Amino acid sequence: MSGTGTLLDGRVDGHRPATALELFFDLCFVVAVAQVAAVLHGDPTVEGAATAAGLFVGIWWAWMAVTWHAAAGDRDDAAYRVGILTAMLAVLAVAVGVPDAAAGDATLYALAAGALRVPLVALWLALRRRATSPGLRAFTGRYAAGSAWGAVLWAGSALADGTLQHLLWALALAGEIAAPYLAAAVADRAFYHPGHIVERYGLFTIIVLGESILAVVVGLDAVDLGVEAAAAAVLGFAGAAALWWLYFDHAGAGGLGRSRQAGFLWGYGHLAIWSGVAAFGVGVHLAIEQAGATGALVAAAVPGPAGPGAGELPLEPLFLGPALALAALAAIAASSRIAGAERSVRVRAAGAVVLGAGGLAASAFAPVVATAGVVAVLAAVVVTERLARPAGAGG
């Protein structure tokens, strides 16, 4: 970065790699995503999934907001660094507040989420002061207004609870998520480097996939290592590898840069991809725990210190997580209008349907069988796409 504080024209040549500060910023989200995954692991029910999803959305948008600001602003001076480092501290506070928020006390989570938006407002206003045209001032002003809207509602929600608090969160996110679309509507050119955005999204995908790898280690550490637990762990790693292969060989930039609608679907559609991958990691953890407790291919209930027995742990996230990710990848491929994308849409959609059906019958499967089935479907999707078109074709 040049440190000039100007706006980056999306039509520039060459590649703009992620900066050291951006990579440092991403580290905070390793903790935040792990905290949300722990919520789903502790309550892998429909209600628990809804709670985890709600908390994850707030964390997802925090990453999105800072990432797109960094993509638009060509800046790396001391004030910018202090702003991003302050936002990082707020992200860590959000992560600390996740368990209490899941339990019903979201005071810290809400206050930290509001505080996170404050430096972002300042950074957008700093870019606005350097704008060289009315269109640029409107572009940056709408982004700043969206972040200010979020800061007020998130912080204000700390004074509320229950339904009112969740309503304020929804209103905050609605305004923030709409801001980029409204900003793009007044811009006369693109203010991001497509290659940079693809790299940044790929790095966050790695973070979420890392939770699946962590689940293998943590799951094995929590049980007596036996054949069943080891098999579930190996299969869980294979599933994470298949998701990595599918995303990085075949997802590509999709419709990013082709049209405003396709670009927004690509960018926002990653919420479903990341949510699905994170849920898969939780599913792997549950499968290893169940396999370690049963020590047999046929699951049997083993009483635990609290709640259901380890053999009764739900395995729905193992199936439904990848199903959600594949469905999102299918939608992104459909919007890309890339030649040959129709086949990718069909393959991914078919995989999502099969895994979704498996999720509905998850209780009928032993953990190793369930994990093997999920890996088989993911592998089939990867192989089919690889045979259909060259790797890295995108879509």
Side-chain angles (χ1 to χ4, degrees), residues 145-377:
S147 295
W149 167 273
V152 171
L153 290 182
W154 277 108
S157 72
L159 303 176
D161 55 22
T163 302
L164 176 58
Q165 186 177 67
H166 295 159
L167 176 61
L168 291 174
W169 291 3
L171 290 173
L173 285 167
E176 291 182 283
I177 291 173
Y181 195 89
L182 297 174
V186 298
D188 56 0
R189 56 192 171 97
F191 296 106
Y192 65 91
H193 194 297
H196 177 71
I197 288 295
V198 171
E199 180 185 15
R200 296 294 293 120
Y201 274 60
L203 290 171
F204 196 81
T205 302
I206 289 291
I207 289 174
V208 181
L209 281 169
E211 293 304 314
S212 299
I213 305 303
L214 180 62
V216 171
V217 177
V218 174
L220 286 175
D221 186 58
V223 300
D224 292 330
L225 184 59
V227 174
E228 302 301 328
V234 171
L235 289 167
F237 174 79
L243 287 168
W244 168 84
W245 201 316
L246 175 65
Y247 182 88
F248 286 98
D249 257 19
H250 303 293
L256 185 65
R258 293 178 178 270
S259 70
R260 185 182 303 166
Q261 290 74 17
F264 274 91
L265 177 60
W266 186 92
Y268 291 177
H270 272 71
L271 171 61
I273 296 174
W274 295 330
S275 297
V277 173
F280 171 74
V282 173
V284 169
H285 193 170
L286 293 170
I288 293 172
E289 287 183 327
Q290 184 169 321
T294 60
L297 282 173
V298 179
V302 176
E312 297 172 334
L313 293 173
L315 295 178
E316 283 82 0
L318 186 66
F319 290 90
L320 299 181
L324 178 61
L326 286 177
L329 286 168
I332 289 172
S335 71
S336 69
R337 298 182 181 178
I338 296 174
E342 298 83 1
R343 182 181 180 89
S344 292
V345 173
R346 291 194 298 269
V347 171
R348 297 171 189 179
V353 169
V354 173
L355 290 173
L360 296 177
S363 60
F365 298 106
V368 175
V369 174
T371 312
V374 171
V375 172
V377 173

